[in-house]
């Protein structure tokens, strides 16, 4: 049976003290948010009659989550990244900055400072001879179709086991991570290997919670992109390869219909041949439309802790 304590003056007073309302110092915004946050946690305890055992197991869960380095994994699993994107889309709409290629979540596995090249890059180190060789290609244009030269297309993806270099130290440095500058026609191309989908670590904190929700922790095969050029809204997105069991059932909610791309095996690829790559190859084409804006703060990706990224 739930006892109604939230309305008692004792709890009200406690919440105000917790948030430092009776103290002059501190940050007003943080005070207000912590006040609301603690109020809502107390309310949850009240509404669900949460026991001390349940509370402490949740508190230690948060500790474990951090110790396992899975904060950035649980967040998309609980739809946080998707939700922030929905908000951003709505803001763009209001500011007249909608249109262009859809954004979708960044995920926690970007590493800054990948090698940069002009027009074309080889992304894999050739060590996986069994892998399906792919050619990723596309054109970056503005919303009127005019090519954007010198845009930086920053691509990263997993290997055939679903693992990312840097986080998987058995891979070579910056394996499957490259930055490519578009040519005069806005085109970019990369030779790489077909990535595999992957799942949350089965014994990890994220999967532990997903199990309690009756959910899987799988992602379909996908390729991440940042696309940037001064004068245009920075784009964070990813493409999902069609035909994967999880293409439309991504635990991180990143799939967007318009970002699902076919992988087409071809006997001869003109784009590949232009870059000296011959023989059968699987083409993955992704054209990008950027939206012009003079708001300089939108030209760059938002600040966030990222591997090897130095912030001032
Ligand atoms: Fe990923």
């Amino acid at each position: 049976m739930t006892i109604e304590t939230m309305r008692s003056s004792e709890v009200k007073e406690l919440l105000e003290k917790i948030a430092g309302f009776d103290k002059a110092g501190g940050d007003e915004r943080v005070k207000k948010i912590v006040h609301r946050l603690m109020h809502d946690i107390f309310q949850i305890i009240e509404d669900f009659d949460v026991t001390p055992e349940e509370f402490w197991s949740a508190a230690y869960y948060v500790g474990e989550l951090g110790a396992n380095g899975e904060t950035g994994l649980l967040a998309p699993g609980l739809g946080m990244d998707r939700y922030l994107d929905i908000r951003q889309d709505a803001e763009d709409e209001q500011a007249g900055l909608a249109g262009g290629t859809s954004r979708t979540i960044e995920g926690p596995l970007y590493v800054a400072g990948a090698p940069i090249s002009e027009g074309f890059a080889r992304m894999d180190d050739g060590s996986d001879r069994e892998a399906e060789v792919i050619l990723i290609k596309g054109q970056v244009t503005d919303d009127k179709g005019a090519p954007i030269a010198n845009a930086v297309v920053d691509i990263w993806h997993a290997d055939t086991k679903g693992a990312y270099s840097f986080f998987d130290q058995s891979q070579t440095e910056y394996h499957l991570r490259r930055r490519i500058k578009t040519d005069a026609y806005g085109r970019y191309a990369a030779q790489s290997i077909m990535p595999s989908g992957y799942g949350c670590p089965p014994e990890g904190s994220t999967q532990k919670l997903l199990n309690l929700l009756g959910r899987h922790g799988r992602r379909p095969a996908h390729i991440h992109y940042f696309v940037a050029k001064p004068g245009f809204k920075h784009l964070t997105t990813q493409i999902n390869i069609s035909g994967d069991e999880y293409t439309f059932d991504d635990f991180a909610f990143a799939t967007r219909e318009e970002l699902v791309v076919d992988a087409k095996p071809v006997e001869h690829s003109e784009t590949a041949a232009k870059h000296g790559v011959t023989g059968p190859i699987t083409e993955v084409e992704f054209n990008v439309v950027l939206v012009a804006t003079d708001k300089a703060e939108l030209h760059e990706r938002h600040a966030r802790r990222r591997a090897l990224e130095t912030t001032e």
Side-chain angles (χ1 to χ4, degrees):
M1 203 181 98
T2 303
I3 308 150
E4 178 58 81
T5 48
M6 287 305 290
R7 269 194 272 270
S8 78
S9 56
E10 202 180 355
V11 171
K12 272 191 184 150
E13 204 181 307
L14 176 62
L15 280 166
E16 285 172 9
K17 282 187 178 167
I18 291 166
F21 283 0
D22 57 342
K23 300 283 185 296
D27 182 300
E28 283 310 311
R29 181 172 163 80
V30 173
K31 286 181 181 207
K32 281 186 195 154
I33 291 176
V34 168
H35 184 262
R36 165 68 78 81
L37 178 69
M38 294 318 299
H39 172 278
D40 290 357
I41 290 176
F42 286 7
Q43 190 72 61
I44 288 169
I45 294 177
E46 187 90 358
D47 292 348
F48 292 90
D49 212 0
V50 171
T51 65
E53 287 81 359
E54 287 174 322
F55 170 76
W56 286 108
S57 110
Y60 287 123
Y61 173 81
V62 173
E64 269 171 41
L65 181 74
N68 292 344
E70 286 196 27
T71 317
L73 193 58
L74 182 67
L78 291 183
M80 284 306 306
D81 303 43
R82 177 73 186 124
Y83 175 69
L84 294 176
D85 277 353
I86 291 170
R87 271 179 62 83
Q88 202 69 54
D89 285 350
E91 264 175 46
D92 282 355
E93 190 79 47
Q94 245 176 10
L97 292 172
T101 299
S102 300
R103 64 161 56 82
T104 193
I105 76 168
E106 174 181 334
L109 303 173
Y110 178 73
V111 178
I116 190 158
S117 55
E118 311 271 336
F120 175 79
R122 168 102 187 244
M123 298 185 69
D124 68 300
D125 61 11
S127 61
D128 189 342
R129 287 163 199 276
E130 305 297 306
E132 180 179 358
V133 180
I134 61 171
L135 182 87
I136 307 167
K137 63 168 191 176
Q139 189 187 28
V140 180
T141 62
D142 68 13
D143 52 8
K144 294 182 185 63
I148 302 176
N150 283 318
V152 176
V153 181
D154 196 339
I155 306 175
W156 71 105
H157 67 79
D159 69 2
T160 53
K161 296 185 206 71
Y164 283 82
S165 65
F166 184 86
F167 302 95
D168 167 17
Q169 286 286 323
S170 73
Q171 295 184 45
T172 50
E173 198 180 36
Y174 286 115
H175 191 224
L176 312 178
R177 301 177 184 276
R178 288 293 183 277
R179 287 179 292 166
I180 304 155
K181 273 192 181 175
T182 55
D183 67 14
Y185 303 98
R187 291 179 308 214
Y188 72 94
Q191 180 190 340
S192 197
I193 54 174
M194 183 63 91
S196 164
Y198 53 85
C200 299
E203 306 304 325
S205 307
T206 304
Q207 191 58 56
K208 196 169 162 182
L209 180 60
L210 292 173
N211 288 343
L212 290 170
L213 302 176
R215 289 177 47 196
H216 68 74
R218 307 288 309 174
R219 298 215 61 203
H222 60 274
I223 299 170
H224 295 269
Y225 280 74
F226 282 149
V227 186
K229 162 92 187 191
F232 294 89
K233 198 172 65 166
H234 178 274
L235 176 70
T236 300
T237 195
Q238 53 181 282
I239 50 175
N240 289 348
I241 311 296
S242 64
D244 189 296
E245 185 185 351
Y246 297 101
T247 302
F248 292 100
D249 187 20
D250 175 10
F251 102 97
F253 308 105
T255 306
R256 299 182 80 160
E257 192 102 42
E258 62 275 24
L259 298 175
V260 176
V261 167
D262 289 330
K264 293 188 196 117
V266 293
E267 279 308 310
H268 172 80
S269 159
E270 248 168 62
T271 312
K274 217 174 71 187
H275 297 289
V277 186
T278 51
I281 199 163
T282 297
E283 283 195 338
V284 175
E285 185 174 7
F286 183 50
N287 299 313
V288 173
V289 177
L290 294 183
V291 176
T293 176
D294 50 13
K295 290 185 184 160
E297 69 276 17
L298 298 180
H299 297 167
E300 290 177 21
R301 56 189 179 235
H302 70 271
R304 151 177 192 179
R305 198 184 294 177
R306 297 181 177 91
L308 304 186
E309 185 159 73
T310 43
T311 45
E312 68 286 355

